[in-house]
């Protein structure tokens, strides 16, 4: 029977295919062959020993030159136990392996059948320094047949990541069978692209990624397959861009003398050059007949809201409405307050004293009471509200608009593509979309993740911003610094300023879900009373967290903004967007529990007025640890791009994209969106060009199939956002 790429894995046969199907979810031969080795063991690896440390993983190919069974008394059970000491000779040296066994039968089998003198195999385990020499204890091993000779073994042995009990050898065997059977390996690259990129063909690439004879083969296979991944994802994105360009939208060019012009006249500050340039770009695009899809990235505090507000006003001046989607209730409420304040009588449409042609700003969150909710819904549906601000409650079916012309999504890293799409369907014709994020995204990630959006960036902060100094308070090494931290809070408050204290959790009784046994994290409900009775006695302290009733949240935020509260003890609900310029100090407790970008966001809440700020990262983490290093990195730079790179590099690539990489089929296995910038860029150009010549992808069925699969899989989401 002919075995093709799309044949079921069962045609491969062998002992382990059904186990592999269960463990990884692979369905076709193509899926199976898409599980690539994680590493390769070269025959000579012992020369590296000097550079390795205790605990490092070492794999080697070698021949057993001696094998000695010893017995000893197990200290716990007082029974006789067995130790097999095996010396293995590799091409460039030899190493001791030690195997421990409890039962005579396994110990004898190991000594006589598995690891007799002369046996050849691959061994893999963690290095240990013992009795003045390196050794591996109970390494995983795979032995070759009796007649196998070390000299004839391939120079590189592939090692697959073991998944749910399937060992590397079981993958290797099954994949070897599949490679021998499969008739044709599909070609996803146009010939001219392959030649221009100097890539090998798909067939040898796939064979060599699994069974390279030489390192050079492995390298060229990887180069080719990596490019494939970039090309397929970029084709998906190019198709999306083409679809957007082919879609019609209502142009919203604005109106001279309208709300926007009147707003500009009363703006209490001048826009920065960056704000002006981005605003112009957006304004032009809103006037076009196809939808704008723009990502606005800007450092924390760079003034994105006013740019968005100007766009919203232009749309209102053109007879349309704008929706502003915020990730949290606190932020939605704050936007409503500050936008209403900035607009003044321009936002009092229909009310006595409203300016002529004024509009309204409606707020729609999940927790409104019935009356307020009904009114907001009516104003959105009737068109009285030119601007509707809300949380995910805006996405519900009941919410309708008279003429939705613009969707603004604030702090996009909290919203996925589905939400964006859900809002867009509420418009008669596709709306313009402006997505904002303060978590700067490296260019390559933006190109992959936001490949269907055009990007603008605000790099400068408005003039007159204070400096924010960040200091790590390592309480294990410097316990007395914590006292000093609270003293600094008191000093700032004495100057009329305000402070945030951020905790990792709400309730002291809650266990840390990630590490139930770890040192307990400080909680809002415990820290606030502690401070009131202790270090910050006499100051006005309030609590804010997600579990408070919405009215209470609103009240607390309002009184903090009004300066009636000195210290706000909160969770990360204040992480994004919150804007209280008089706040100058922030103490983050258990700072090691927050991500790099999160810390950067958090400290963006202070130093927003003219005063300089101080951010204290309090941590009980080991002074010499990766966690502490991260905190020092955050303290060391205020460049959000730099920090977001550090952040992304510390996560697994799949998490960057929001994909669970659990075996099965995955779109990005070799390509790194962080490191392969050039490849992605070239593939993007090539994919766009190829799509122009073959919009239906009919010339390359394999490419069409790969693109269709990706578009339909959940993984398509990663191409938008996590
Ligand atoms: P972010 O980009 O982090 O969302 P905001 O839009 O909240 O920042 O702006 C932060 C603060 O800076 C707000 O109080 C806003 O009114 C103010 N602001 C915005 N643009 C300017 C400017 N050009 N000059 C002075 N202040 C500005
Ligand atoms: Mg903001």
């Amino acid at each position: 029977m002919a075995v093709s790429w799309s044949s079921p894995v069962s045609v491969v046969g062998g002992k382990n295919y059904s186990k592999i199907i269960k463990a990884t979810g692979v369905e076709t031969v193509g899926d199976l062959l898409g599980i690539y080795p994680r590493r390769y063991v070269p025959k000579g690896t012992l020369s590296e020993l000097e550079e390795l440390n205790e605990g490092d993983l070492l794999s080697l190919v070698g021949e057993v030159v001696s094998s000695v069974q010893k017995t000893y008394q197990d200290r716990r059970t007082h029974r006789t136990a067995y130790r097999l000491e095996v010396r293995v000779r590799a091409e460039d040296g030899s190493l001791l392996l030690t195997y421990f066994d409890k039962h005579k039968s396994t110990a004898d089998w190991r000594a006589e059948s598995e690891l007799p003198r002369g046996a050849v195999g691959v061994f893999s385990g963690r290095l240990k320094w013992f009795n003045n020499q390196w050794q591996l204890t109970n390494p995983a091993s795979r032995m070759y047949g009796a007649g196998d000779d070390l000299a004839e073994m391939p120079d590189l042995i592939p090692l697959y990541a073991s998944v749910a009990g399937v060992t590397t050898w079981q993958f290797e065997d099954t994949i070897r069978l599949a490679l021998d059977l499969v008739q044709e390996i599909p070609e996803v690259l146009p010939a001219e692209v392959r030649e221009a990129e100097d890539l090998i063909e798909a067939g040898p690439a796939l064979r060599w990624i699994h069974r390279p004879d030489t390192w050079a083969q492995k390298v060229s296979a990887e180069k080719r397959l990596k490019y494939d991944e970039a090309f397929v994802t970029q084709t998906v994105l190019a198709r999306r861009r083409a679809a957007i360009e082919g879609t019609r939208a209502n142009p919203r060019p604005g109106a001279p003398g309208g709300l926007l012009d009147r707003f500009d006249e009363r703006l209490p500050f001048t826009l920065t050059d960056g704000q002006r340039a981005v605003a112009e770009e957006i304004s032009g695009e809103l006037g076009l007949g196809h939808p704008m899809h723009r990502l606005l990235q800007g450092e924390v505090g760079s003034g994105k809201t006013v740019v968005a507000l100007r766009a919203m006003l232009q749309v209102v001046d053109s007879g349309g409405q704008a929706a502003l989607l915020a990730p949290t209730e606190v932020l939605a409420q704050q936007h409503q307050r500050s936008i209403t304040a900035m607009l003044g009588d321009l936002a009092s449409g229909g009310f006595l004293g409203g300016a002529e042609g004024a509009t309204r700003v409606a707020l729609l969150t999940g927790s409104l009471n019935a009356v307020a909710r009904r009114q907001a819904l009516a104003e959105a549906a009737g068109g009285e509200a030119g601007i509707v601000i809300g949380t995910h409650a805006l996405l519900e079916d009941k919410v309708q608009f008279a003429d939705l012309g613009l969707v603004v999504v604030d702090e996009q890293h909290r919203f996925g593509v589905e939400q964006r799409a859900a809002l867009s369907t509420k418009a008669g014709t596709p709306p313009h979309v402006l997505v904002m994020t303060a978590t700067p995204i490296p260019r390559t990630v933006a190109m992959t993740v936001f490949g269907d959006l055009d990007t603008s960036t605000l790099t400068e902060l408005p003039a007159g911003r204070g400096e924010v100094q960040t200091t790590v308070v390592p309480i294990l090494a410097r316990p007395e610094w914590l006292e000093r931290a609270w003293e600094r809070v008191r000093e700032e408050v004495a100057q009329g300023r305000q402070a945030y204290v951020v905790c990792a959790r709400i309730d002291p009784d809650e266990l840390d879900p990630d590490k139930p046994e770890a040192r307990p994290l400080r909680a809002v409900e415990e820290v606030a009373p502690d401070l009131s009775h202790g270090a910050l006695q006499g100051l006005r302290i309030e609590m804010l967290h997600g579990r408070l009733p919405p009215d209470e949240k609103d009240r607390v935020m309002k009184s903090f903004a009004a300066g009636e509260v000195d210290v706000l003890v909160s969770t990360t609900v204040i992480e994004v967007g919150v804007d209280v310029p008089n706040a100058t100090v922030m103490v983050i407790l258990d700072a090691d529990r927050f991500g790099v970008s999160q810390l950067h966001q958090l400290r963006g809440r202070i130093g927003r007025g003219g005063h300089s700020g101080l951010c204290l990262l309090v941590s009980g983490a080991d002074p010499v640890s990766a966690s502490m290093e991260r905190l020092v990195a955050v303290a060391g730079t205020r460049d959000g791009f730099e920090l977001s790179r550090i952040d992304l590099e510390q996560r697994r690539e799949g998490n960057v994209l929001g994909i669970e990489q659990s075996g099965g089929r995955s779109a990005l296995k070799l390509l790194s969106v962080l490191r392969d910038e050039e490849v992605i860029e070239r593939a993007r150009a090539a994919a766009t060009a190829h799509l122009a010549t073959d919009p239906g992808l009919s010339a390359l069925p394999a490419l069409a199939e790969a693109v269709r699969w990706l578009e339909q899989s959940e993984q398509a989401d990663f191409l938008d956002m996590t």
Side-chain angles (χ1 to χ4, degrees):
M1 184 183 133
V3 171
S4 78
W5 195 251
S6 54
S7 303
V9 177
S10 56
V11 303
V12 173
K15 278 186 297 218
N16 301 306
Y17 76 87
S18 54
K19 199 170 164 190
I20 290 178
I21 293 174
K22 215 178 276 160
T24 63
V26 293
E27 289 169 9
T28 63
V29 170
D31 293 346
L32 174 70
L33 293 176
I35 299 174
Y36 301 151
R38 171 177 285 178
R39 303 183 298 120
Y40 304 81
V41 194
K43 260 203 254 179
T45 29
L46 292 177
S47 53
E48 292 171 21
L49 265 181
E50 276 146 45
E51 292 152 38
L52 294 175
N53 297 312
E54 176 133 0
D56 284 352
L57 192 62
L58 181 83
S59 302
L60 74 153
V61 182
E63 181 185 335
V64 176
V65 287
S66 72
S67 177
V68 182
Q69 191 185 77
K70 301 193 167 158
T71 56
Y72 66 100
Q73 188 82 4
D74 186 303
R75 267 193 228 138
R76 235 165 14 91
T77 62
H78 305 292
R79 296 226 177 103
T80 303
Y82 303 84
R83 183 171 76 239
L84 184 67
E85 292 180 357
V86 175
R87 181 154 290 277
V88 166
R89 180 181 58 82
E91 277 199 340
D92 53 354
S94 77
L95 187 71
L96 185 68
L97 317 182
T98 315
Y99 292 84
F100 292 92
D101 285 298
K102 281 198 203 109
H103 302 291
K104 185 159 186 359
S105 55
T106 29
D108 287 347
W109 165 81
R110 202 182 288 291
E112 287 153 23
S113 305
E114 192 190 32
L115 298 163
R117 264 186 59 187
V120 171
V122 185
F123 307 87
S124 182
R126 304 230 168 250
L127 270 178
K128 199 169 155 187
W129 184 253
F130 191 71
N131 275 348
N132 282 325
Q133 61 178 327
W134 284 119
Q135 59 171 6
L136 300 179
T137 308
N138 290 330
S141 55
R142 144 166 254 195
M143 305 312 296
Y144 288 88
D148 279 334
D149 182 350
L150 181 57
E152 279 164 25
M153 304 270 300
D155 282 336
L156 288 173
I157 310 280
L159 288 184
Y160 296 83
S162 70
V163 180
V166 183
T167 64
T168 174
W169 334 120
Q170 292 169 329
F171 278 116
E172 189 188 335
D173 285 345
T174 312
I175 286 170
R176 183 207 304 252
L177 289 173
L179 277 176
D180 289 344
L181 288 171
V182 72
Q183 311 263 311
E184 205 173 308
I185 290 167
E187 184 60 75
V188 296
L189 285 190
E192 33 336 325
V193 174
R194 198 175 60 69
E195 276 153 31
E197 289 288 329
D198 194 19
L199 296 168
I200 61 173
E201 288 178 22
L206 198 78
R207 290 179 195 286
W208 290 352
I209 198 81
H210 290 292
R211 308 193 57 73
D213 290 325
T214 62
W215 201 255
Q217 285 183 352
K218 178 250 171 202
V219 168
S220 46
E222 212 168 65
K223 180 175 167 209
R224 157 68 209 242
L225 296 170
K226 181 186 274 193
Y227 191 89
D228 283 3
E229 293 176 5
F231 191 77
V232 171
T233 47
Q234 291 302 324
T235 302
V236 169
L237 293 168
R239 274 161 63 88
R240 248 185 236 171
R241 284 195 300 274
I244 291 169
E245 274 157 31
T247 310
R248 292 213 46 76
N250 285 333
R252 312 282 181 175
L259 294 174
L260 177 55
D261 286 352
R262 287 191 274 161
F263 172 75
D264 279 346
E265 278 164 23
R266 59 175 68 181
L267 201 60
F269 46 73
T270 42
L271 296 178
T272 64
D273 290 345
Q275 283 173 317
R276 209 187 311 275
V278 173
E280 239 161 66
E281 215 165 17
I282 293 174
S283 173
E285 283 177 278
L286 290 174
L288 299 179
H290 62 83
M292 169 180 84
H293 274 216
R294 185 161 286 279
L295 169 70
L296 173 55
Q297 312 192 50
E299 268 291 353
V300 178
S302 58
K304 294 181 289 293
T305 317
V306 68
V307 172
L309 180 55
R310 292 185 74 266
M312 294 193 266
L313 292 173
Q314 176 171 335
V315 170
V316 176
D317 283 337
S318 319
Q321 290 167 289
L324 171 57
L325 191 58
T328 63
E329 183 133 5
V330 168
L331 187 53
Q333 286 165 343
Q334 177 193 275
H335 272 320
Q336 193 235 4
R337 269 198 302 276
S338 67
I339 287 177
T340 312
M342 276 197 269
L343 290 176
D345 62 357
L346 299 178
S348 317
F351 290 109
L352 209 60
E356 202 196 320
T359 189
R360 275 196 217 167
V361 178
L363 176 69
L364 232 163
T365 59
S367 57
L368 291 183
N369 66 39
V371 178
R373 179 178 166 78
R374 214 174 310 129
Q375 184 183 345
L377 286 172
E379 287 184 357
E384 290 87 1
I387 296 176
V388 182
I389 299 171
T391 51
H392 53 275
L394 272 185
L395 307 174
E396 289 163 16
D397 286 344
K398 289 219 187 73
V399 183
Q400 305 215 319
F401 292 85
D403 179 11
L404 181 58
L406 170 66
V407 172
V408 179
V409 183
D410 196 15
E411 303 300 347
Q412 158 88 29
H413 63 288
R414 301 281 181 95
F415 281 107
V417 65
E418 272 167 51
Q419 283 90 333
R420 236 204 283 165
L423 254 186
S424 296
T425 58
K426 294 182 185 295
T429 42
H432 300 280
V433 177
L434 178 65
V435 170
M436 305 196 286
T437 171
T439 308
I441 296 157
R443 233 173 74 74
T444 39
V445 180
M447 254 177 357
T448 312
V449 178
F450 285 119
D452 64 335
L453 297 174
D454 300 308
T455 308
S456 315
T457 307
L458 289 177
T459 44
E460 60 187 322
L461 298 184
R465 285 291 158 75
E467 278 298 297
V468 173
Q469 195 208 327
T470 305
T471 304
V472 181
V473 178
I475 46 184
L476 290 184
R478 302 274 177 173
E480 72 282 5
W481 285 13
L482 189 58
E483 269 315 301
R484 180 71 191 121
W486 300 127
E487 230 170 86
R488 288 290 289 118
V489 171
R490 299 189 72 94
E491 285 164 17
E492 288 294 314
V493 171
Q495 303 275 321
R497 306 279 93 78
Q498 289 162 279
Y500 295 100
V501 175
V502 181
C503 305
R505 57 181 187 149
I506 300 175
D507 180 344
D509 294 331
E510 222 174 316
L511 285 178
D512 179 355
D514 296 339
K515 299 183 185 166
E517 74 292 339
R519 111 195 100 81
L521 300 175
R522 302 303 313 272
V524 172
E525 289 180 343
E526 152 204 54
V527 169
D530 277 4
L531 291 176
S532 314
H533 298 120
L536 300 183
Q537 200 166 16
L539 305 193
R540 295 169 299 175
I541 300 178
E542 290 264 16
M543 293 189 274
L544 184 71
H545 58 71
R547 272 192 234 143
L548 293 177
D551 289 354
E552 175 67 3
K553 273 190 250 178
D554 199 27
R555 182 193 68 74
V556 171
M557 248 349 268
K558 265 191 194 136
S559 43
F560 188 65
E564 296 156 11
V565 171
D566 300 316
V567 180
L568 188 65
V569 181
S570 83
T571 55
T572 53
V573 287
I574 55 133
E575 179 190 348
V576 291
V578 167
D579 186 24
V580 177
N582 192 47
T584 52
V585 207
M586 176 175 284
V587 180
I588 305 180
L589 299 175
D590 296 308
D592 49 291
R593 297 312 307 269
F594 300 99
V596 168
S597 293
Q598 216 177 3
L599 292 169
H600 183 57
Q601 283 282 332
L602 280 168
R603 84 176 147 187
R605 304 305 116 218
I606 52 173
R608 295 172 81 88
H611 316 287
S612 46
L614 175 66
C615 178
L616 298 166
L617 306 175
V618 179
S619 168
D622 188 335
V624 190
S625 64
S627 304
M628 202 49 94
E629 250 169 58
R630 253 177 345 122
L631 297 183
V632 170
V634 173
T637 176
R638 284 201 76 198
D639 178 345
F641 277 85
E642 176 59 28
L643 289 171
S644 109
R645 183 168 276 279
I646 295 175
D647 200 8
L648 291 168
E649 274 168 3
Q650 290 190 340
R651 301 192 219 168
R652 276 175 49 237
E653 192 87 7
N655 293 344
V656 172
L657 299 176
I659 325 171
E660 259 319 300
Q661 292 200 325
S662 55
R665 205 168 153 182
S666 156
L668 301 186
K669 288 174 291 205
L670 300 170
L671 186 73
S672 157
V673 294
L674 294 174
R675 290 183 300 276
D676 295 319
E677 176 165 347
E678 271 176 40
V679 175
I680 293 174
E681 225 162 297
R682 287 201 311 272
R684 177 178 166 105
T688 310
H690 180 252
L691 196 66
T693 63
D694 182 14
L697 302 176
S698 49
L700 276 171
L703 176 63
E705 158 57 23
V707 165
R708 194 175 326 120
W709 173 79
L710 184 55
E711 283 174 348
Q712 285 167 3
S713 83
E714 289 159 27
Q715 294 175 46
D717 278 2
F718 79 71
L719 296 172
D720 284 277
M721 200 51 208
T722 59

